Amino acid sequence: MKMFKQAIVLAGLLTAGVVSAQNAQMNNMIKVGANVGLAVPSDNLSAAVGLDVSYQNLVTPGFGLGIATGYSHYFGKENNGYDNNDVGVVPIAALIRIYPKQMGFYFGTDLGYGLLVGNDKVAANAATDRPNGGFYIKPEIGYHNQDWNFFVQYQKVFVGSNGDMPNQDYNVGNIGVGFSYNIPLGK
């Protein structure tokens, strides 16, 4: 019964969001989305899937600023005898977007700190500690309309040489695609 009530509340919130999307000014919005990608370079990780949540304020009709967070899960892989562990990234970032036209092409980036979460060791069969995080960047280029954004992205957490092992550099980054839905908050 509790799950049924939660489903009703969630459906009501989504309906309210869709209805308000038709008549609200789009100066302030919450963006909720997902992405998938292939790890690059791929020494210790193979692929990534993620969820994004951000707040954006259109400072001018063609320029948006905001904050971004979410979670990306990177899948570990075997490499040079190391059984690499999965790792998660939780970004705490500023959002910058440029929209040359009201609908169509856009580009931007998220900049901040990427917190690495998960197993404390880089690999299940090695004693090397996983870094805690590093400088985070996520440039993207894509297509947008009032409700949706579809994009190509590069996501990277720079950790320096922390987590490196003999014959394996520790990398947390991917090239991928994603989408987000804009929930308007009004002026």
Side-chain angles (χ1 to χ4, degrees):
M1 189 65 170
K2 183 177 179 181
M3 291 254 320
F4 180 72
K5 289 179 184 177
Q6 289 173 342
I8 297 278
V9 169
L10 180 61
L13 288 173
L14 289 174
T15 302
V18 170
V19 170
S20 67
Q22 304 307 315
N23 22 0
Q25 286 281 357
M26 292 293 285
N27 291 345
N28 294 292
M29 66 192 80
I30 300 288
K31 297 172 170 278
V32 179
N35 62 74
V36 297
L38 295 175
V40 290
S42 60
D43 282 357
N44 55 297
L45 302 170
S46 60
V49 296
L51 297 172
D52 302 316
V53 178
S54 59
Y55 164 78
Q56 176 182 284
N57 174 266
L58 287 175
V59 178
T60 68
F63 181 68
L65 291 175
I67 56 173
T69 191
Y71 177 78
S72 292
H73 187 87
Y74 286 81
F75 298 94
K77 72 174 194 176
E78 191 279 327
N79 182 35
N80 287 327
Y82 298 114
D83 185 16
N84 290 289
N85 291 316
D86 293 3
V87 65
V89 175
V90 178
I92 303 162
L95 173 140
I96 303 164
R97 296 290 184 273
I98 298 173
Y99 303 97
K101 294 187 176 184
Q102 190 172 8
M103 287 192 345
F105 163 80
Y106 80 95
F107 60 97
T109 191
D110 297 351
L111 297 169
Y113 186 81
L115 180 66
L116 300 181
V117 297
N119 196 300
D120 290 337
K121 302 296 180 193
V122 170
N125 58 344
T128 304
D129 291 336
R130 176 190 40 77
N132 293 328
F135 176 71
Y136 173 84
I137 186 168
K138 185 182 132 186
E140 65 182 52
I141 185 169
Y143 170 84
H144 77 98
N145 62 30
Q146 184 173 348
D147 298 322
W148 295 96
N149 302 293
F150 300 94
F151 55 85
V152 176
Q153 70 169 19
Y154 172 71
Q155 182 183 67
K156 176 75 175 171
V157 178
F158 293 91
V159 295
S161 60
N162 296 334
D164 287 355
M165 296 186 285
N167 302 318
Q168 177 179 287
D169 294 334
Y170 188 72
N171 294 296
V172 182
N174 80 79
I175 293 178
V177 297
F179 69 91
S180 61
Y181 179 71
N182 302 322
I183 301 169
L185 300 176
K187 285 190 166 195

